[in-house]
Amino acid sequence: MSYVQEVFETVKKRNPGEAEFHQAVEEVLESLAPVIERHPEYAETGLLERIVEPERQILFRVPWEDDQGKIHVNRGFRVQFNSAIGPYKGGLRFHPSVNLGIIKFLGFEQIFKNSLTGLPIGGGKGGSDFDPKGKSDREVMRFCQSFMHELSHHIGPDIDVPAGDIGVGGREIGFLYGQYKRIKNATEAGVLTGKGIPYGGSLARTEATGYGLVYFLKEMLEDHGHELAGKTVLISGSGNVSIYACQKCQAYGAKVVAMSDSNGYIYDKNGIDLKVIQQLKEVERKRIKEYLNYHPEAEYSENYRGIWNIKCDIALPCATQNEINDKEAATLIENGVMAVAEGANMPSTSEAIKLYQDHKILFGPAKAANAGGVATSALEMCQNSMRLAWSFEEVDQKLHGIMVNIYRSIKDAAKEYGMEGNYVAGANIAGFQKVAASMMAHGIY
C-alpha cells in the first residue's frame, strides 16, 4: 500500500461515518500522489498525516430562547484546520444538516481554496445545526448571541476570522459582531467578514463569490477558444452566490434559463428575470415557485434536482454538496454541456467529476472557481487592518485579477505534473504547494 493510500485509510478509520470529509480527503490525496513522489521529504516528515488532521476541533452547546419562552439547545462547531499560511479563515453555516463531518469537509477544502487566492489565510470552518428559516429576527439574534458567547473565546483578527455561509448572511453577521464587541469591549472589525458597509464591511463582498465564479468561468472558456456571450446557462440555488453569478452571466451576454431552491426549480425560456428572484429571496424570503406570479409563462417543478435535465451550454451548481451525481452528469453531457464550474462546495460527486473529465468537459472545481468569496473576505480584512475602505471598482478589479491568477496557477500546476487540462488535480496541487512549503519551514508541530 502506498503512503498516500495509508494516510487515507487512517483518515477513514479515525473519522468513521464522515462521508463528506472522506470524499474531500480522497480527492485531494489522489491528486497529490505525483507530488509526494517528487518530494519524498513530505512523507518522511509525516506532512500528509498532519495536514488531514485539524489543529483544533471545538464543539459546544448553544442554548437559546424562542419568542414563546421555550428553551432550545443546538450544537455549535468550529474546526480550525490549518494555520500554516495565516489565521484560520472560513464561513459559518447554520443549517439542520450541519454536523462535525460536514464542517471538517468544508474546513479541509478551505485550506487549499484559501491558499489558491495568494493571500495569507489558513483554513477553517464552523456553524450549527440551527435553522434560521421561519425564525423571527429576535430569535435569530438570541441564538447568535448565545453562539458567539462561546465562539468568542476561540477567534480574533489574527487567530481565526469567520464569515458567512449557508444560513448566515448580513443579519446574522451583524448580530454575531455586536455580541463579540460586547464581550471583548473592543472594536476588532477584522474578526468577522461579510459585515455591513457602515461598520467595516467591504464593497463587492456580497457579489464576490458569484462574480468570481463567472470571472473564472470566462477565463477558462476564453483560454479554450470559447465566448460566454450567447451561451445558455443553468444555475442551481437562488441564494447569494447564485444571484450574483446570474447577474454577471447576464452582464456578459449569457442567457440564464433556470434557477432553484430546496423545494424545486424555475425554468424561463425567455431568460430568468433576476429582479424578481432578488425580490423573492433577498426581500420577501419566499420560495422560488412564487416566480410564476410574475411570469406565468415560466415552468416550475418540485424536483429541484431536475434542473440538470434542461439542455444548456454551461452548468453552474451553486446550491450545496453532492447535488450532481453520475446520472445527472451523464444527462448534462448528453444534452451538450460544454463547461461546468462549481459555485457551491463540492456540488459534484466524484463519479460525476470522472464523467466530466472522460468526456473532456471544461470543469472548474469548487476550491478554485468559488474562491472569490473568501478572497474578498481577505481583502475586507486588509481594509480593516488599514482603517480604510476601497471603492467597489477597486475591490472588483482586485477580485478579477485574483480569479484569473487562480485559473492560470491551476492550469500550470496540472501541466507541470503531467495532467494537463485536469483542473481538479491542478487546484489541489497548486493549493497544497504553498501550505506544504510553509509547514516544512515551521518544523514538525
Side-chain angles (χ1 to χ4, degrees):
M1 187 181 294
S2 71
Y3 168 58
V4 170
Q5 289 174 316
E6 287 178 3
V7 172
F8 181 56
E9 290 303 316
T10 300
V11 167
K12 289 193 292 184
K13 184 177 179 181
R14 298 181 74 178
N15 304 274
E18 298 178 356
E20 294 88 356
F21 180 49
H22 299 167
Q23 182 181 342
V25 172
E26 184 176 27
E27 180 211 283
V28 171
L29 293 184
E30 283 180 350
S31 300
L32 296 182
V35 182
I36 301 303
E37 287 182 17
R38 191 176 297 185
H39 294 277
E41 67 273 18
Y42 293 163
E44 293 164 4
T45 57
L47 191 140
L48 290 188
E49 289 97 327
R50 289 185 281 144
I51 209 168
V52 298
E53 188 69 22
E55 292 175 10
R56 191 173 294 106
Q57 300 180 62
I58 303 155
L59 171 63
F60 52 96
R61 179 180 66 193
V62 188
W64 60 280
E65 184 179 3
D66 68 21
D67 290 341
Q68 286 70 48
K70 182 180 178 181
I71 304 302
H72 301 264
V73 178
N74 287 96
R75 280 185 168 180
F77 304 88
R78 189 67 181 174
V79 173
Q80 297 173 333
F81 223 115
N82 192 289
S83 60
I85 62 175
Y88 310 105
K89 185 83 191 76
L92 298 170
R93 175 175 294 191
F94 292 171
H95 192 272
S97 66
V98 166
N99 56 48
L100 184 59
I102 285 177
I103 296 299
K104 283 161 69 174
F105 129 62
L106 293 167
F108 184 72
E109 289 279 289
Q110 204 76 41
I111 300 170
F112 309 102
K113 180 191 299 185
N114 292 359
S115 174
L116 286 171
T117 68
L119 300 168
I121 42 178
K125 204 75 177 183
S128 173
D129 55 4
F130 171 77
D131 188 358
K133 287 183 180 177
K135 306 294 191 303
S136 70
D137 286 350
R138 288 295 182 96
E139 288 173 328
V140 173
M141 180 184 72
R142 287 192 287 271
F143 172 82
C144 288
Q145 289 174 341
S146 181
F147 183 87
M148 181 53 79
H149 184 80
E150 176 61 30
L151 186 66
S152 64
H153 302 310
H154 309 286
I155 63 174
D158 298 310
I159 302 168
D160 184 354
V161 183
D165 194 80
I166 294 172
V168 179
R171 174 183 63 171
E172 289 76 15
I173 292 293
F175 292 149
L176 291 165
Y177 183 59
Q179 182 71 356
Y180 181 86
K181 285 186 64 180
R182 182 182 179 191
I183 293 167
K184 295 291 186 178
N185 190 30
T187 300
E188 298 176 356
V191 72
L192 286 167
T193 57
K195 300 184 297 296
I197 300 302
Y199 60 97
S202 174
L203 292 167
R205 175 61 190 90
T206 302
E207 297 85 354
T209 309
Y211 278 19
L213 172 65
V214 180
Y215 292 150
F216 180 97
L217 169 68
K218 188 170 183 287
E219 185 70 15
M220 181 172 67
L221 288 172
E222 291 179 352
D223 190 43
H224 289 82
H226 305 292
E227 293 290 332
L228 180 54
K231 299 297 188 296
T232 300
V233 183
L234 305 179
I235 301 178
S236 66
S238 49
N240 181 271
V241 180
S242 308
I243 284 172
Y244 292 103
C246 179
Q247 186 182 88
K248 187 57 70 173
C249 279
Q250 291 176 341
Y252 281 133
K255 185 179 182 181
V256 179
V257 296
M259 295 180 72
S260 65
D261 63 15
S262 57
N263 280 12
Y265 71 89
I266 202 81
Y267 169 64
D268 190 338
K269 65 181 180 181
N270 298 317
I272 288 291
D273 185 341
L274 187 59
K275 288 184 179 179
V276 171
I277 298 291
Q278 289 180 291
Q279 176 66 24
L280 292 174
K281 291 298 182 178
E282 296 183 332
V283 180
E284 300 176 17
R285 297 180 185 267
K286 291 184 176 178
R287 309 310 297 175
I288 204 167
K289 65 182 178 182
E290 302 289 335
Y291 185 93
L292 295 179
N293 294 335
Y294 298 85
H295 292 280
E297 74 282 3
E299 300 172 25
Y300 174 74
S301 172
E302 288 288 345
N303 176 19
Y304 71 93
R305 298 186 75 131
I307 192 172
W308 308 120
N309 294 324
I310 300 169
K311 190 172 183 178
C312 69
D313 301 307
I314 294 165
L316 303 179
C318 298
T320 191
Q321 66 267 15
N322 292 329
E323 59 175 293
I324 300 180
N325 60 27
D326 53 350
K327 180 180 177 182
E328 290 147 346
T331 300
L332 283 168
I333 293 164
E334 186 179 339
N335 285 338
V337 74
M338 62 183 297
V340 178
E342 298 184 319
N345 291 309
M346 205 170 71
S348 302
T349 65
S350 54
E351 294 82 7
I353 292 171
K354 187 176 188 306
L355 282 173
Y356 303 149
Q357 294 172 333
D358 289 346
H359 289 82
K360 308 299 182 185
I361 306 300
L362 295 177
F363 177 59
K367 63 173 62 71
N370 74 18
V374 74
T376 306
S377 279
L379 297 178
E380 182 176 331
M381 292 166 64
C382 291
Q383 293 169 80
N384 294 157
S385 295
M386 294 186 284
R387 303 290 201 275
L388 55 76
W390 296 326
S391 69
F392 186 100
E393 290 74 21
E394 285 179 291
V395 178
D396 193 36
Q397 183 179 26
K398 293 177 190 295
L399 169 64
H400 186 272
I402 289 169
M403 298 312 298
V404 169
N405 286 338
I406 288 175
Y407 172 73
R408 293 175 180 172
S409 69
I410 71 172
K411 175 187 173 182
D412 292 345
K415 185 176 180 179
E416 180 185 352
Y417 282 89
M419 293 178 279
E420 189 168 2
N422 184 341
Y423 299 143
V424 174
N428 290 328
I429 292 169
F432 172 78
Q433 286 174 321
K434 183 178 177 181
V435 177
S438 300
M439 290 177 70
M440 292 293 289
H442 295 163
I444 298 172
Y445 74 95

